Each structure stands twice: as C-alpha cells, then as structure tokens.
C-alpha cells in the first residue's frame, strides 16, 4: 500500500492486530509494513517510532469499552458493567497489560473512560479524593485479574518460538506445577477432586466474586458515611 494511501487509523488498527497475534515483542515496523503491504519506511510517515505506535494502539482499544448511561442505572450496576467491560478489553488485548509495565498509556480514548468512571463514583456519593481512590481500587483489581491471561499469552508465544509444541510444553509445565502443589494439603485436595480438570475456569468465577465483594465494600463505606443512594 503506497504511503499516500495509508492513514494513521489503518496503521493503528493493523498494529493492534499484530500486537494481538505477536505481543509487544512481535511489534516492529518491518512486520507492520508487511501486514500493510508496504515497506517499513512508509509507516514512519505517519508514526514516529514503535513507542509512539504502542501508545496510539494502547489508547485506541479503550474506545471498545461501552460506557453505561449513569442516569439509567444505579451506580453498582454501572460500576459492574464498566469493570467487566475493562476486563473483557484487557483479555482481548493481553499485550496492553504488558505495556503498563513499560509505557504510560494515555490519550483521548483512555481519558474518556477515566472521566466517565470518576463521574460514576461521584454519582455513588464519593467526593474528591475518595472518588479517585474508589476508581483506582477497581481498576487495580481488574488489571490484576487480567495478568494471568497476559502471562499465558506471552508464555505460549515464547514456547512456540522455542521450536517445540507450545500446547505440549505448557501441559508439561502445568503437570510439574501440579506435582509441586500436591505437596501442600489444601492444594492437593483441590487437585484430587473430580472437577480438577475444570480448575482453569476458576479465575472467571473468582473475578466475579471479588468484584462483587469490592463494590459491596465501597457501598458499605458510603452507608457508614451516610452518603449511599438507594442501591440493590
């Protein structure tokens, strides 16, 4: 694709696809140019460098999160919706969780989300710094839960580059981890249950349980302070 026919939007969307497939370590201008059907140098007419591209891509994916109408739902329903939307976005794009360790992600997409989030907690009854703290607590919780998906994606790519079968190597590593875990009574009891094969499903249930508990704690704080509106 000639550089004069490319747009920054096309480049960013293609970079997101590349990041989804190959992670941060797989993003480079040559690979991106190949996906766009052009040479790497043509990309530089639209973006400064790889770091600039990561920031653009990192901000763009925040637009995928649907922002609830704060006048149409109680604050806990809205907070749950936003947290679940953020979690879904981070698991769709596990490289973004990686990026938080090396980049300051910012831009209109993220700012739009963050502003709406603060409005949500202000509506709940938190004021000033307390609204900031409530929003940060939920964000940190969601980000922590997305780390596992990011780690598995990164590990799978690394195993694939090693030349072996990534699924086989991953299963071998899991078997070794299980062997270590069985030395401890509570872990052994869980691994020896009939549903041990479904253990991988636990993180989703744990996310929902933890989010409910976190929002319940925030709601209780409002009740104690006398500022809680009517909620479910």
């Amino acid at each position: 694709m000639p550089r004069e026919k490319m747009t920054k939007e096309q480049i960013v969307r293609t970079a997101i696809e590349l990041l989804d497939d190959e992670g941060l370590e797989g993003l480079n201008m040559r690979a991106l140019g190949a996906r766009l059907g052009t040479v790497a140098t043509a990309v530089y007419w639209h973006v400064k460098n790889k770091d600039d591209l990561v920031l653009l891509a990192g901000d763009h994916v925040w637009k995928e999160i649907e922002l609830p109408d704060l006048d149409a739902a109680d604050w806990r329903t809205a907070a749950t919706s936003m947290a679940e939307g953020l979690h879904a976005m981070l698991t769709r794009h596990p490289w973004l969780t990686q990026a938080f360790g090396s980049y300051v992600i910012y831009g209109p997409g993220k700012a739009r989300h963050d502003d709406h989030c603060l409005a949500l907690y202000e509506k709940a009854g938190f004021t000033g710094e307390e609204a900031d703290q409530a929003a940060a607590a939920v964000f940190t919780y969601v980000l922590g839960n997305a780390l596992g998906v990011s780690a598995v994606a990164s590990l799978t790519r690394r195993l694939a580059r090693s030349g072996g079968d990534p699924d086989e190597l991953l299963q071998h590593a899991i078997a070794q981890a299980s062997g270590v875990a069985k030395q401890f009574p509570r872990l052994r009891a869980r691994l020896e249950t009939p549903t041990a094969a479904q253990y991988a499903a636990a993180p989703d249930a744990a996310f929902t349980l933890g989010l409910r508990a976190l929002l319940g704690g925030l709601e209780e704080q409002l009740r104690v302070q006398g500022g809680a509106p009517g909620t479910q």
Side-chain angles (χ1 to χ4, degrees), residues 49 59 97 117-118 136 163 188 192 227:
N49 49 41
D59 181 64
T97 305
C117 195
L118 289 174
R188 181 172 64 249
E192 291 177 349

Side-chain angles (χ1 to χ4, degrees), residues 8-89:
K8 182 177 285 189
E9 177 77 11
Q10 289 173 317
I11 291 172
V12 171
R13 288 187 179 276
T14 303
I16 292 170
E17 293 172 2
L18 179 57
L19 284 161
D20 288 345
D21 292 341
E22 304 295 338
L24 283 176
E25 64 274 20
L27 178 65
N28 59 70
M29 295 306 189
R30 180 177 295 180
L32 181 59
R35 288 206 176 205
L36 288 163
T38 189
V39 294
T41 53
V43 178
Y44 286 107
W45 283 83
H46 300 273
V47 295
K48 297 176 183 177
N49 49 41
K50 175 180 174 177
D51 287 353
D52 185 41
L53 193 54
V54 171
L55 293 179
L56 290 169
D59 181 64
H60 192 282
V61 294
W62 287 83
K63 299 174 185 177
E64 297 175 9
I65 302 173
E66 184 176 349
L67 304 183
D69 182 349
L70 301 184
D71 294 325
D74 65 86
W75 81 267
R76 277 197 63 174
T77 299
T80 299
S81 174
M82 288 194 71
E84 290 176 343
L86 174 60
H87 186 261
M89 184 273 282

Side-chain angles (χ1 to χ4, degrees), residues 85-216:
L86 174 60
H87 186 261
M89 184 273 282
L90 290 173
T91 53
R92 279 195 304 273
H93 307 295
W95 52 269
L96 183 58
T97 305
Q98 286 181 285
F100 279 120
S102 305
Y103 299 86
V104 177
I105 303 297
Y106 64 91
K110 185 175 184 300
R112 163 184 166 272
H113 170 275
D114 292 350
D115 186 77
H116 200 78
C117 195
L118 289 174
L120 186 160
Y121 289 104
E122 287 175 357
K123 179 191 176 187
F126 292 102
T127 58
E129 187 176 333
E130 289 181 343
D132 296 345
Q133 292 170 345
V138 175
F139 171 75
T140 303
Y141 172 76
V142 176
L143 180 62
N145 273 268
L147 282 174
V149 174
S150 178
V152 170
S154 181
L155 176 61
T156 301
R157 287 192 300 269
R158 184 168 65 81
L159 292 175
R161 288 195 297 271
S162 70
D165 182 332
D167 291 333
E168 183 178 324
L169 291 170
L170 187 58
Q171 288 303 314
H172 177 67
I174 291 173
Q176 288 184 313
S178 296
V180 174
K182 285 181 179 180
Q183 299 175 39
F184 299 87
R186 291 169 184 80
L187 296 177
R188 181 172 64 249
R190 283 159 176 75
L191 290 169
E192 291 177 349
T193 62
T195 58
Q198 302 172 13
Y199 194 66
D204 288 335
F207 172 74
T208 301
L209 176 64
L211 179 60
R212 188 181 303 122
L214 176 56
L215 294 177

